[in-house]
Structures are given as C-alpha cells and as structure tokens.
Amino acid sequence: MKRIYLGTNLKMYKTNRETVSYLKELREKTAAFRRPELEMFVIPSFTALPEAVAAVEGEIKIGAQNMCWEDAGEYTGEISPRMLKAIGIDLIEIGHSERRHKFGETDSDVNRKVLAALRHGFTPLVCIGETEADKAYGVTAERLREQLKLGLYGVTGEQARQLWIAYEPVWAIGVGGKPAAPEYANRAQQVIKETLAELFPGCDQEIPVLYGGSVNSQNAASLMTQPAIDGLFIGRAAWEAESFAAIIKQILELCESRW
Ligand code: 13P
C-alpha cells in the first residue's frame, strides 16, 4: 500500500507556546481523517522540540531542522544526535536550501550529517534542489545527481531504506518563490528516483521523494497526482493548523483511489 508524506518545516517562526498550540489544533483538526498510510510530520525550532514531542503523543512525527555530525565536542552552538535522541526525535531535516544558501552548508557537510543521522537510527530528510541559474543553464538533472551522489556518499543499501528525500528547487521556496509546474517537478523527481535506483539498486522503491516549494491549497492536488511525487513538504501554506489540515484532507480524498 502506497504511503503519502505530508509535512511542514516551521522554519524560525513559532515560539514554544505557539508551536504547542499549533500542534494541538492540528491534531484536533486532522483527528477524523488520520490513517496509517498517511505519514504526517512537523519540524519545529529546536527550543520547542521537547514540548512538541509531548504535545503530539505519537500522533504526528516531529523532526529537527538540523543536527551536528558529531556526538559531542567543541562545537559551540550545535545540537548533537545524542541530544535529539534523548528527547524522542526520529526525523532530521538535512541540507535545506536555507542552510545551504544562508549558512554555507556544503554537500560534504550534508554527507557527514546524513551518515551521523543513519548511525544513530534517525530518518534523514535530505533536501536537494537546483538554483535559478542551474535551471537557466539546463543543468538541473546534473545538479540533482551531484547533490545526491555527494550527500549520500557512503550510505549502504540497507541504510538507504531509512532515507527520505525532498526535492525543493531553490527558486520555488519562500516569499517570492514560484511553485514548480507539476510536470517540471515530476521530471526532476524522476531524475532523483533514477539516481537513487542507480545508487541503491533494489532499495530505491522504498525511498520517498517529496516536493517542496510554494505548495498551497491551489497547487497541492496537481502536484500530488504526478507519479514521481510521494508527498509534499510545505512551508507558509501549512503554518496555520486549519490550512494545513485542509490541504491534508484534500490530498487524502484525492489519493483514496491509490489505496
Ligand atoms: P514554502 O512552502 O514557504 O515555499 O517553503 C517550503 C520549504 O522550505 C519547506 O522546507
């Protein structure tokens, strides 16, 4: 049975109290239609994580927005895998476009974080995507292949089953971003799936590939009907519990035929 993945990255917007009230409302508003095939996740700020985990009581997966690759050491300002493990987190977002472009994270940083996350038994949600310039030069496929091959270097076939990938074109993300046309996103996601099949033959089918970048209630359905899109990773349109719940309901109705 095909699973679908619908989640949001809360970025740097909500305090602890705001996160908890958002999660409580989201739980209430989705209670009637949550189902085992739906993997629903929310990725709050670090400071809100312990309260977020307590607030959802296992009904929504809670993830962290970043993680250091070292278990402990002289890494001021960083959060280690052990610390996240200790508060019951099992999903780690790695290499989001804002980490790469505003904080200078490289594919080799992404790789160290992916390997550390896998070593600790987390699910790494690895974000990749081409820039506007890559798209203009026609090197989207090359860029995605490169990010996958470098970011996932050294991952074994067995470990690969733990991965989630998010395709998030840099030009599509955030205020001023333009959502990718569904067919364009599907082609890029197909490249990602082919590369995963090359890297992890036999395990690639188990790795979900999500789309993110200006998803909203108008385009969510046309994106989700694309064959290579297994889920949506949403920002702004999901930060009100009511609007996120409405998108989830819409997608579940749409996917009813897939089950
Ligand atoms: P927007 O949906 O606000 O463009 O953000 C997407 C995103 O960055 C998800 O990680």
Side-chain angles (χ1 to χ4, degrees):
M1 206 169 280
K2 193 164 162 63
R3 293 176 77 74
I4 59 167
Y5 298 75
L6 298 173
T8 181
N9 166 14
L10 297 183
K11 305 196 182 182
M12 195 181 73
Y13 284 101
K14 291 188 194 292
T15 63
N16 291 21
R17 191 184 292 184
E18 288 160 354
T19 303
V20 168
S21 81
Y22 168 81
L23 288 168
K24 286 193 170 149
E25 194 185 338
L26 189 60
R27 263 182 85 181
E28 274 164 31
K29 293 214 154 40
T30 54
F33 47 83
R34 274 200 305 272
R35 47 188 302 161
E37 298 81 14
L38 168 67
E39 188 73 80
M40 193 172 144
F41 63 97
V42 174
I43 309 192
S45 293
F46 279 128
T47 48
L49 288 178
E51 287 174 57
V53 170
V56 297
E57 297 181 298
E59 289 185 358
I60 299 172
K61 197 187 266 294
I62 299 293
Q65 295 179 11
N66 186 22
M67 186 190 79
C68 185
W69 54 81
E70 290 291 342
D71 287 3
E74 293 159 339
Y75 293 93
T76 302
E78 289 291 313
I79 304 285
S80 92
R82 288 178 55 247
M83 295 165 188
L84 294 171
K85 207 46 163 223
I87 57 169
I89 299 296
D90 57 10
L91 175 69
I92 314 286
E93 181 178 357
I94 298 174
H96 186 273
S97 153
E98 289 149 19
R99 299 290 326 160
R100 292 176 188 262
H101 297 282
K102 295 185 177 165
F103 297 96
E105 273 186 24
T106 62
D107 286 320
S108 114
D109 297 329
V110 168
N111 184 235
R112 288 196 274 194
K113 292 177 186 197
V114 167
L115 294 175
L118 290 168
R119 200 165 54 240
H120 285 271
F122 292 112
T123 296
L125 169 53
V126 185
C127 304
I128 60 170
E130 82 284 9
T131 62
E132 181 94 64
D134 293 331
K135 180 154 117 6
Y137 283 113
V139 295
T140 296
E142 287 86 341
R143 187 64 74 221
L144 296 175
R145 284 176 57 76
E146 181 181 72
Q147 288 175 341
L148 285 172
K149 292 180 87 167
L150 298 177
L152 304 181
Y153 186 77
V155 172
T156 67
E158 198 45 45
Q159 289 175 321
R161 297 175 201 275
Q162 278 296 112
L163 296 168
W164 294 5
I165 306 293
Y167 167 57
E168 302 206 307
V170 179
W171 48 269
I173 297 177
V175 176
K178 301 177 284 297
E183 300 71 23
Y184 179 94
N186 190 61
R187 272 197 305 279
Q189 306 230 163
Q190 198 53 49
V191 169
I192 294 173
K193 285 185 180 268
E194 283 161 16
T195 310
L196 292 171
E198 219 176 277
L199 294 174
F200 309 112
C203 316
D204 55 293
Q205 294 295 327
E206 292 169 50
I207 307 173
V209 184
L210 286 61
Y211 169 81
S214 295
V215 174
N216 56 41
S217 57
Q218 275 83 54
N219 60 24
S222 49
L223 286 159
M224 266 314 284
T225 43
Q226 297 297 319
I229 298 184
D230 303 310
L232 301 172
F233 192 20
I234 312 172
R236 290 156 295 155
W239 296 341
E240 294 293 334
E242 177 141 23
S243 23
F244 189 21
I247 294 179
I248 295 171
K249 186 162 187 282
Q250 185 195 7
I251 298 300
L252 286 177
E253 285 166 3
L254 178 82
C255 294
E256 207 53 48
S257 58
R258 291 191 188 183
W259 291 313

